[in-house]
Amino acid sequence: MKGTRPGEVLFKARSLAQQGREAEAIDLLVELLELHPTYWRASQFLVVNLRVPPTEIAPHIVRRAHEEASRKPAVRPDAARTLASLMRFQEARELIESAGPLEDPVLADAAFEIAVNTGDPVLAQRALRERQWLLGSSAKKDLWRIRLAMLKGNRAAMQAPFERLLSAESSSLMTAGMALGRYADAFSVEWKTRLRSALCELLPNLIRPDEPIKALGNAHVLIIAYTELGDEIRLIELVDRVRSLFASCTIVVDRRIAGLVARGRPGLVVSGKEKVEPSGENAVPLILRRHLSEDLWRRASSFDRILLIRDLQALLVRSEEDLPRLARPLHVNVDLRARWGAELARRGHGPWIGLFWRSGRLNYLRSIKATALTDWSPLFRVCPGNYVNLQFGAGVREEIDGVSSEARIVEMPSLNVKEDLESVAALMCELDLVVTIPGTTQHLAGAVGARTIAVTHPAEALFRARSGTNIGTWSPNIEVITGPPRRGFEGAIENTAKRVADILRERALPSVS
C-alpha cells in the first residue's frame, strides 16, 4: 500500500464492500489506518454507509479517534459522532460532556443520535434546545421534533411538524406518517426522491405517480425489488393484489427468496438476483446493478410498464385497512419443513424458540435494531431452553458461549441462516415461537405464518404496530412488544419475557418461571 494515495485505497475498499468482499475491505481499512491515522473519519463513513461490519475495524477507528481528540479539542465533535456511529455510546457521551455546550452542529447531531438510539429524551431535548438557533426554521428541526416525539410515544406532538414536512424527502417523514396512520401521505415520499428522478431517466416506462394501477390492465409488467430484502418480503402480498390485472408479470427479487416467492404463484415469472455489485464489465447502469441482471436490463424496454416493489405501497396502501392481511403470503418447502420437524423431535421436547437479536449491519443508524445476547437474561430466566439460533454475523459463536450457563441455544447443523432462507423459513414453521428484533428475520417469520414476537425499541414502537394494537404493521402474525422510552431495549426484553411466559402457559408448554 505504501505509495498509494489514501483516496485510492478508500475507493478500492468501497468497491470491495459493494461486491460483498467484506473481509478484504476490512483488511484494507486496517492497513490504511496504520499508515494514515487521521483517516479514521473516512473509514468510519464506509462502515456506516456500506456493508462493512464494524466488529473488526471498529477498535482501530476508535483508537485513532481517541488519540486525535485528546490532542485536539476541536476534533471532539467528529470523534463523538464517530464513536456513536460505531455504537460506542458511553465513550461518545463522555466526549460530548467534556466538550461543553452543544453549540457545534456536529456535536449536537451526535448527541441527538445517541439520545434517540439509547432512549434518552432528556439528552435529545437538550440537543434540540441548544442547537435551535443553528437549525432556524429548517426542515431538520421538524425532523428532530418528529423523532423526539416518536421516542416519547407522543403522536400529538408529531402532527404539526409532519404537516410542515409533507413536501420534503425523508425516511423520518415516512415513519411519522405510518405512526399517525397517514399512510397515503407517508408513502407519497416514494415519488419525490432524487433517486426516483434518476431512475425515470434510465427507465422511461417506469410507472408515474399520477397513473392509477388499474390503467395497467392487460399490460406486460416488470417489478423490480429495488430495496432491501426485508422490504421485498413484507410487500409481496401487495404484488398478489395487482398481478392478476396484468397480461404478464415478471418480478426480480433477492435470489435467496426466489423459490419462496415463486411457490404457489403460477403464471408469475420470478427471477432471483444476487444483491451485490458485480465486478468487471457490466452493461447495467450503476444505480441498477445490484437489482437487475444484464439480461433483464436489455429487455427492460420490451415491458409496457416497470414498477419498483416499493411503488406498490404508495399505490395501494392509503389507510390501515390496506395493510397486508394474509396469514401466510409465502409458502415453505414441505419436505424441508418435515426434515426440520424431525430434527427438532430428535433433539427432545420443546418449547423451541427461534431467537434473532441484532441487525446484520451494526452502526448507530441501526442500533435500535441491535442488542447483545447477554441482554436477554430476563427471557432466559423464564425459559432457559431450548432456543434455536437464527442470528448471523461476526461473533455469534462467542455470544452464545457467553450465555451457556443461562440458556441452551442450538445451532442447527449445516444451516446457513444468512444465505439459505428456504431452510430458515421451513424451520421457523416448526418452532413454537420466533422472538426477533425488527428486520428481515421478523418479516420472514411473519410471512410464512410462524408465531412471532417483534421486540421493538421504544423509538420505533409507534410505526411498528397498527394503531391502538400490538399487531405488526406488515403482518398479522407478528406481535409487537416494547417498553418505556427511558429503558430502551431493556424494558422491551423484560416485557417480552412476561409475554413468553404467558404464551408457554397458554399452550401448556414447559418453562421455568
Side-chain angles (χ1 to χ4, degrees), residues 44 55 75 92 100 104 109 125 151 162 177 184 196 255 259-260 271 306 326 354 370-371 374 440-441:
Q44 171 263 351
T55 312
V75 170
D104 183 289
D109 284 350
Q125 190 71 58
L151 176 62
F162 180 78
R196 182 82 192 187
R255 54 105 185 144
L260 286 162
S271 175
I306 295 176
L326 293 181
T371 64
T374 50
T440 297
T441 301

PDB file of all heavy atoms in Angstrom, residues 44 55 75 92 100 104 109 125 151 162 177 184 196 255 259-260 271 306 326 354 370-371 374 440-441:
ATOM      1  N   GLN A  44     -14.714   5.435   8.994  1.00  0.00           N
ATOM      2  CA  GLN A  44     -15.991   5.336   9.690  1.00  0.00           C
ATOM      3  C   GLN A  44     -17.158   5.505   8.716  1.00  0.00           C
ATOM      4  O   GLN A  44     -18.167   4.829   8.811  1.00  0.00           O
ATOM      5  CB  GLN A  44     -16.052   6.393  10.804  1.00  0.00           C
ATOM      6  CG  GLN A  44     -17.397   6.540  11.470  1.00  0.00           C
ATOM      7  CD  GLN A  44     -18.218   7.690  10.879  1.00  0.00           C
ATOM      8  OE1 GLN A  44     -17.710   8.481  10.090  1.00  0.00           O
ATOM      9  NE2 GLN A  44     -19.480   7.748  11.228  1.00  0.00           N
ATOM     10  N   THR A  55     -17.188  -4.956  13.493  1.00  0.00           N
ATOM     11  CA  THR A  55     -16.637  -5.732  14.593  1.00  0.00           C
ATOM     12  C   THR A  55     -15.117  -5.713  14.624  1.00  0.00           C
ATOM     13  O   THR A  55     -14.502  -5.527  15.665  1.00  0.00           O
ATOM     14  CB  THR A  55     -17.131  -7.196  14.494  1.00  0.00           C
ATOM     15  OG1 THR A  55     -18.537  -7.191  14.287  1.00  0.00           O
ATOM     16  CG2 THR A  55     -16.798  -7.958  15.753  1.00  0.00           C
ATOM     17  N   VAL A  75     -11.393  18.496  17.546  1.00  0.00           N
ATOM     18  CA  VAL A  75     -11.743  17.251  16.855  1.00  0.00           C
ATOM     19  C   VAL A  75     -12.821  16.475  17.619  1.00  0.00           C
ATOM     20  O   VAL A  75     -13.438  15.556  17.081  1.00  0.00           O
ATOM     21  CB  VAL A  75     -10.468  16.389  16.683  1.00  0.00           C
ATOM     22  CG1 VAL A  75     -10.792  14.982  16.192  1.00  0.00           C
ATOM     23  CG2 VAL A  75      -9.510  17.055  15.709  1.00  0.00           C
ATOM     24  N   ALA A  92     -18.813   7.984  23.565  1.00  0.00           N
ATOM     25  CA  ALA A  92     -19.244   9.178  22.826  1.00  0.00           C
ATOM     26  C   ALA A  92     -19.883  10.192  23.766  1.00  0.00           C
ATOM     27  O   ALA A  92     -19.643  11.398  23.672  1.00  0.00           O
ATOM     28  CB  ALA A  92     -20.237   8.778  21.735  1.00  0.00           C
ATOM     29  N   GLY A 100     -18.574  20.489  26.507  1.00  0.00           N
ATOM     30  CA  GLY A 100     -19.360  21.638  26.956  1.00  0.00           C
ATOM     31  C   GLY A 100     -20.678  21.773  26.215  1.00  0.00           C
ATOM     32  O   GLY A 100     -21.288  20.784  25.806  1.00  0.00           O
ATOM     33  N   ASP A 104     -21.688  23.272  18.714  1.00  0.00           N
ATOM     34  CA  ASP A 104     -21.147  22.768  17.458  1.00  0.00           C
ATOM     35  C   ASP A 104     -22.196  21.867  16.806  1.00  0.00           C
ATOM     36  O   ASP A 104     -22.723  20.954  17.444  1.00  0.00           O
ATOM     37  CB  ASP A 104     -19.858  21.978  17.715  1.00  0.00           C
ATOM     38  CG  ASP A 104     -19.214  21.493  16.436  1.00  0.00           C
ATOM     39  OD1 ASP A 104     -19.777  20.573  15.809  1.00  0.00           O
ATOM     40  OD2 ASP A 104     -18.161  22.031  16.063  1.00  0.00           O
ATOM     41  N   ASP A 109     -25.535  16.995  16.618  1.00  0.00           N
ATOM     42  CA  ASP A 109     -26.022  15.844  15.852  1.00  0.00           C
ATOM     43  C   ASP A 109     -25.687  14.536  16.556  1.00  0.00           C
ATOM     44  O   ASP A 109     -26.524  13.639  16.670  1.00  0.00           O
ATOM     45  CB  ASP A 109     -25.409  15.834  14.450  1.00  0.00           C
ATOM     46  CG  ASP A 109     -26.040  16.867  13.526  1.00  0.00           C
ATOM     47  OD1 ASP A 109     -27.078  17.446  13.919  1.00  0.00           O
ATOM     48  OD2 ASP A 109     -25.490  17.101  12.444  1.00  0.00           O
ATOM     49  N   GLN A 125     -33.808  16.343  23.973  1.00  0.00           N
ATOM     50  CA  GLN A 125     -34.403  17.668  24.146  1.00  0.00           C
ATOM     51  C   GLN A 125     -33.325  18.733  24.296  1.00  0.00           C
ATOM     52  O   GLN A 125     -33.440  19.842  23.753  1.00  0.00           O
ATOM     53  CB  GLN A 125     -35.315  17.673  25.371  1.00  0.00           C
ATOM     54  CG  GLN A 125     -36.166  18.927  25.514  1.00  0.00           C
ATOM     55  CD  GLN A 125     -37.264  18.982  24.471  1.00  0.00           C
ATOM     56  OE1 GLN A 125     -38.091  18.083  24.386  1.00  0.00           O
ATOM     57  NE2 GLN A 125     -37.259  20.018  23.661  1.00  0.00           N
ATOM     58  N   LEU A 151     -39.809   8.979  20.070  1.00  0.00           N
ATOM     59  CA  LEU A 151     -39.127   8.382  21.214  1.00  0.00           C
ATOM     60  C   LEU A 151     -40.012   8.436  22.455  1.00  0.00           C
ATOM     61  O   LEU A 151     -40.060   7.497  23.248  1.00  0.00           O
ATOM     62  CB  LEU A 151     -37.807   9.120  21.471  1.00  0.00           C
ATOM     63  CG  LEU A 151     -36.997   8.687  22.701  1.00  0.00           C
ATOM     64  CD1 LEU A 151     -36.570   7.235  22.566  1.00  0.00           C
ATOM     65  CD2 LEU A 151     -35.781   9.584  22.883  1.00  0.00           C
ATOM     66  N   PHE A 162     -45.131  17.217  11.065  1.00  0.00           N
ATOM     67  CA  PHE A 162     -45.427  16.350   9.924  1.00  0.00           C
ATOM     68  C   PHE A 162     -46.118  17.138   8.816  1.00  0.00           C
ATOM     69  O   PHE A 162     -45.786  17.005   7.634  1.00  0.00           O
ATOM     70  CB  PHE A 162     -46.292  15.181  10.374  1.00  0.00           C
ATOM     71  CG  PHE A 162     -46.652  14.234   9.257  1.00  0.00           C
ATOM     72  CD1 PHE A 162     -45.729  13.310   8.795  1.00  0.00           C
ATOM     73  CD2 PHE A 162     -47.899  14.274   8.656  1.00  0.00           C
ATOM     74  CE1 PHE A 162     -46.051  12.441   7.757  1.00  0.00           C
ATOM     75  CE2 PHE A 162     -48.229  13.412   7.624  1.00  0.00           C
ATOM     76  CZ  PHE A 162     -47.305  12.487   7.178  1.00  0.00           C
ATOM     77  N   GLY A 177     -45.564   9.358   9.271  1.00  0.00           N
ATOM     78  CA  GLY A 177     -46.862   9.179   8.644  1.00  0.00           C
ATOM     79  C   GLY A 177     -47.488   7.848   9.008  1.00  0.00           C
ATOM     80  O   GLY A 177     -48.700   7.758   9.250  1.00  0.00           O
ATOM     81  N   ALA A 184     -51.188   7.267   3.114  1.00  0.00           N
ATOM     82  CA  ALA A 184     -51.106   7.848   1.770  1.00  0.00           C
ATOM     83  C   ALA A 184     -50.045   8.939   1.732  1.00  0.00           C
ATOM     84  O   ALA A 184     -49.234   9.013   0.798  1.00  0.00           O
ATOM     85  CB  ALA A 184     -52.459   8.405   1.351  1.00  0.00           C
ATOM     86  N   ARG A 196     -35.545   8.653  -7.513  1.00  0.00           N
ATOM     87  CA  ARG A 196     -36.666   8.356  -8.404  1.00  0.00           C
ATOM     88  C   ARG A 196     -36.506   9.086  -9.739  1.00  0.00           C
ATOM     89  O   ARG A 196     -36.739   8.514 -10.812  1.00  0.00           O
ATOM     90  CB  ARG A 196     -37.971   8.798  -7.727  1.00  0.00           C
ATOM     91  CG  ARG A 196     -39.209   8.490  -8.559  1.00  0.00           C
ATOM     92  CD  ARG A 196     -39.617   7.076  -8.362  1.00  0.00           C
ATOM     93  NE  ARG A 196     -40.619   6.632  -9.316  1.00  0.00           N
ATOM     94  CZ  ARG A 196     -41.223   5.466  -9.237  1.00  0.00           C
ATOM     95  NH1 ARG A 196     -40.934   4.648  -8.264  1.00  0.00           N
ATOM     96  NH2 ARG A 196     -42.110   5.100 -10.135  1.00  0.00           N
ATOM     97  N   ARG A 255     -32.181 -13.413  -4.738  1.00  0.00           N
ATOM     98  CA  ARG A 255     -32.194 -14.824  -5.134  1.00  0.00           C
ATOM     99  C   ARG A 255     -32.458 -15.744  -3.930  1.00  0.00           C
ATOM    100  O   ARG A 255     -32.907 -16.884  -4.091  1.00  0.00           O
ATOM    101  CB  ARG A 255     -30.871 -15.188  -5.806  1.00  0.00           C
ATOM    102  CG  ARG A 255     -29.606 -14.877  -5.013  1.00  0.00           C
ATOM    103  CD  ARG A 255     -28.981 -16.109  -4.425  1.00  0.00           C
ATOM    104  NE  ARG A 255     -27.846 -15.768  -3.577  1.00  0.00           N
ATOM    105  CZ  ARG A 255     -27.550 -16.419  -2.466  1.00  0.00           C
ATOM    106  NH1 ARG A 255     -28.295 -17.417  -2.046  1.00  0.00           N
ATOM    107  NH2 ARG A 255     -26.503 -16.068  -1.741  1.00  0.00           N
ATOM    108  N   GLY A 259     -37.392 -18.872  -4.603  1.00  0.00           N
ATOM    109  CA  GLY A 259     -38.219 -20.065  -4.516  1.00  0.00           C
ATOM    110  C   GLY A 259     -39.460 -19.840  -3.674  1.00  0.00           C
ATOM    111  O   GLY A 259     -40.556 -20.302  -4.022  1.00  0.00           O
ATOM    112  N   LEU A 260     -39.319 -19.128  -2.568  1.00  0.00           N
ATOM    113  CA  LEU A 260     -40.464 -18.838  -1.700  1.00  0.00           C
ATOM    114  C   LEU A 260     -41.498 -17.978  -2.432  1.00  0.00           C
ATOM    115  O   LEU A 260     -42.701 -18.179  -2.284  1.00  0.00           O
ATOM    116  CB  LEU A 260     -39.989 -18.107  -0.447  1.00  0.00           C
ATOM    117  CG  LEU A 260     -39.260 -18.961   0.601  1.00  0.00           C
ATOM    118  CD1 LEU A 260     -38.463 -18.072   1.552  1.00  0.00           C
ATOM    119  CD2 LEU A 260     -40.246 -19.813   1.385  1.00  0.00           C
ATOM    120  N   SER A 271     -37.475 -14.007 -11.074  1.00  0.00           N
ATOM    121  CA  SER A 271     -36.045 -14.021 -11.362  1.00  0.00           C
ATOM    122  C   SER A 271     -35.289 -13.671 -10.080  1.00  0.00           C
ATOM    123  O   SER A 271     -35.576 -12.647  -9.450  1.00  0.00           O
ATOM    124  CB  SER A 271     -35.714 -13.007 -12.463  1.00  0.00           C
ATOM    125  OG  SER A 271     -34.323 -12.918 -12.670  1.00  0.00           O
ATOM    126  N   ILE A 306     -42.872  -0.640 -15.934  1.00  0.00           N
ATOM    127  CA  ILE A 306     -41.980  -1.148 -14.885  1.00  0.00           C
ATOM    128  C   ILE A 306     -42.396  -0.515 -13.563  1.00  0.00           C
ATOM    129  O   ILE A 306     -42.691   0.678 -13.501  1.00  0.00           O
ATOM    130  CB  ILE A 306     -40.508  -0.816 -15.199  1.00  0.00           C
ATOM    131  CG1 ILE A 306     -40.057  -1.558 -16.467  1.00  0.00           C
ATOM    132  CG2 ILE A 306     -39.601  -1.180 -14.026  1.00  0.00           C
ATOM    133  CD1 ILE A 306     -38.650  -1.229 -16.914  1.00  0.00           C
ATOM    134  N   LEU A 326     -52.956 -11.259   4.861  1.00  0.00           N
ATOM    135  CA  LEU A 326     -52.856 -12.708   4.690  1.00  0.00           C
ATOM    136  C   LEU A 326     -52.006 -13.314   5.805  1.00  0.00           C
ATOM    137  O   LEU A 326     -50.973 -12.760   6.200  1.00  0.00           O
ATOM    138  CB  LEU A 326     -52.236 -13.057   3.346  1.00  0.00           C
ATOM    139  CG  LEU A 326     -53.043 -12.728   2.089  1.00  0.00           C
ATOM    140  CD1 LEU A 326     -52.280 -13.161   0.852  1.00  0.00           C
ATOM    141  CD2 LEU A 326     -54.414 -13.398   2.133  1.00  0.00           C
ATOM    142  N   GLY A 354     -37.138 -19.736  18.320  1.00  0.00           N
ATOM    143  CA  GLY A 354     -36.107 -19.144  17.459  1.00  0.00           C
ATOM    144  C   GLY A 354     -35.741 -17.764  17.979  1.00  0.00           C
ATOM    145  O   GLY A 354     -36.614 -17.001  18.399  1.00  0.00           O
ATOM    146  N   ALA A 370     -30.580  -3.578  17.403  1.00  0.00           N
ATOM    147  CA  ALA A 370     -29.449  -4.386  17.857  1.00  0.00           C
ATOM    148  C   ALA A 370     -29.425  -4.486  19.376  1.00  0.00           C
ATOM    149  O   ALA A 370     -29.592  -3.500  20.082  1.00  0.00           O
ATOM    150  CB  ALA A 370     -28.136  -3.785  17.360  1.00  0.00           C
ATOM    151  N   THR A 371     -29.227  -5.699  19.854  1.00  0.00           N
ATOM    152  CA  THR A 371     -28.998  -5.947  21.270  1.00  0.00           C
ATOM    153  C   THR A 371     -27.795  -6.878  21.372  1.00  0.00           C
ATOM    154  O   THR A 371     -27.315  -7.398  20.364  1.00  0.00           O
ATOM    155  CB  THR A 371     -30.215  -6.626  21.922  1.00  0.00           C
ATOM    156  OG1 THR A 371     -30.387  -7.924  21.327  1.00  0.00           O
ATOM    157  CG2 THR A 371     -31.486  -5.815  21.735  1.00  0.00           C
ATOM    158  N   THR A 374     -26.371 -11.121  25.866  1.00  0.00           N
ATOM    159  CA  THR A 374     -26.403 -11.052  27.331  1.00  0.00           C
ATOM    160  C   THR A 374     -27.568 -10.199  27.839  1.00  0.00           C
ATOM    161  O   THR A 374     -27.950 -10.307  29.008  1.00  0.00           O
ATOM    162  CB  THR A 374     -25.077 -10.470  27.861  1.00  0.00           C
ATOM    163  OG1 THR A 374     -24.786  -9.253  27.149  1.00  0.00           O
ATOM    164  CG2 THR A 374     -23.930 -11.447  27.658  1.00  0.00           C
ATOM    165  N   THR A 440     -35.356  -8.306   8.652  1.00  0.00           N
ATOM    166  CA  THR A 440     -35.690  -9.350   7.686  1.00  0.00           C
ATOM    167  C   THR A 440     -36.194 -10.620   8.361  1.00  0.00           C
ATOM    168  O   THR A 440     -37.159 -11.239   7.895  1.00  0.00           O
ATOM    169  CB  THR A 440     -34.466  -9.666   6.816  1.00  0.00           C
ATOM    170  OG1 THR A 440     -34.099  -8.496   6.069  1.00  0.00           O
ATOM    171  CG2 THR A 440     -34.755 -10.790   5.844  1.00  0.00           C
ATOM    172  N   THR A 441     -35.555 -11.028   9.448  1.00  0.00           N
ATOM    173  CA  THR A 441     -35.972 -12.255  10.141  1.00  0.00           C
ATOM    174  C   THR A 441     -37.412 -12.131  10.613  1.00  0.00           C
ATOM    175  O   THR A 441     -38.209 -13.071  10.487  1.00  0.00           O
ATOM    176  CB  THR A 441     -35.031 -12.537  11.319  1.00  0.00           C
ATOM    177  OG1 THR A 441     -33.693 -12.687  10.822  1.00  0.00           O
ATOM    178  CG2 THR A 441     -35.432 -13.806  12.048  1.00  0.00           C
TER     179      THR A 441
END
